[in-house]
Amino acid sequence: DRHIRKLNRRIKEIATEQSMQPLYVTTKALEPLNKMHSDAFNDEHLDYQVLLATDSLLSIYFDGYSYSIGAAHGSQYSRVINYDLAAGKELKLARLFKPGAKYLEFISRYCSNRLPLDPDRPLEFTKDPASWNITPEGLNFTFDHCEFFACSEGTKQVKIPFAAMKEILNTEMSLLKELGV
């Protein structure tokens, strides 16, 4: 099917976007790094978890790590696919909520209350968070290291159960009905 080919292309994009850097730096400008780190190579790892797979929905979490020669430390990153198989396209977070629902305010407040943030600087999303997945129990939000916290603190995740969002969820949506929401 055309929409499955489209999904496969999107997965391939995610799997290859970070790995396009060479494993060994050969440019003239970076020769000093090669000499200092003659036994080092750029490094890239990507793993994934299928968090939800139904007849109409696929939610995949990609967990990546990269290191470039000369960097002080590696970098962790996440990517996601939430794919509406029935519609043949990626699922937008806004579709899960009632029209006009202040879902970004709710998500910001919920996550701020569960993360070690400075109380004077809570999360305030003005657009959909980049890394979210739908699971059988609710929504999972991932905050990559260095995104909102010190790099040394690592990745943070907040799971919001469907029950906590009941008032603002679009419970008429067939995808949510399929999950028993």
Side-chain angles (χ1 to χ4, degrees):
D1 288 348
R2 192 173 81 211
H3 72 281
I4 297 300
R5 286 192 302 272
K6 182 179 168 183
L7 170 61
N8 286 338
R9 278 193 303 276
R10 180 70 179 116
I11 291 170
K12 183 178 180 182
E13 282 174 19
I14 289 172
T16 59
E17 70 183 346
Q18 289 290 120
S19 64
M20 298 313 288
Q21 65 180 341
L23 291 178
Y24 189 74
V25 181
T26 57
T27 61
K28 269 281 199 220
L30 297 176
E31 279 183 7
L33 284 176
N34 288 336
K35 289 178 183 169
M36 283 176 47
H37 307 281
S38 61
D39 60 343
F41 294 91
N42 288 342
D43 192 13
E44 183 67 37
H45 297 277
L46 185 67
D47 201 359
Y48 70 95
Q49 290 178 292
V50 175
L51 299 180
L52 183 68
T54 68
D55 289 340
S56 56
L57 182 65
L58 180 63
S59 186
I60 306 172
Y61 171 76
F62 296 88
D63 185 25
Y65 171 84
S66 64
Y67 173 78
S68 296
I69 295 172
H73 53 77
S75 178
Q76 179 277 335
Y77 61 92
S78 61
R79 301 290 185 270
V80 299
I81 291 180
N82 296 289
Y83 201 83
D84 182 338
L85 294 164
K89 61 184 180 182
E90 286 194 58
L91 179 63
K92 302 290 184 201
L93 184 60
R95 283 194 50 219
L96 299 174
F97 298 94
K98 293 176 183 173
K102 297 185 184 292
Y103 70 95
L104 288 177
E105 288 177 17
F106 176 86
I107 293 166
S108 297
R109 190 171 48 255
Y110 193 97
C111 291
S112 291
N113 288 335
R114 281 151 183 83
L115 292 170
L117 295 169
D118 179 344
D120 296 327
R121 295 184 57 210
L123 290 175
E124 291 184 32
F125 295 116
T126 56
K127 62 180 185 172
D128 289 354
S131 192
W132 66 275
N133 288 96
I134 189 166
T135 71
E137 299 81 28
L139 298 178
N140 189 51
F141 293 89
T142 302
F143 303 95
D144 293 342
H145 84 285
C146 303
E147 186 176 12
F148 292 104
F149 311 97
C151 295
S152 61
E153 290 189 45
T155 301
K156 307 281 186 209
Q157 292 189 339
V158 175
K159 295 177 182 175
I160 306 178
F162 287 128
M165 300 178 283
K166 190 170 183 150
E167 296 299 316
I168 59 172
L169 282 175
N170 182 0
T171 54
E172 296 303 311
M173 185 180 191
S174 61
L175 293 173
L176 292 176
K177 283 183 177 181
E178 183 180 346
L179 295 173
V181 177

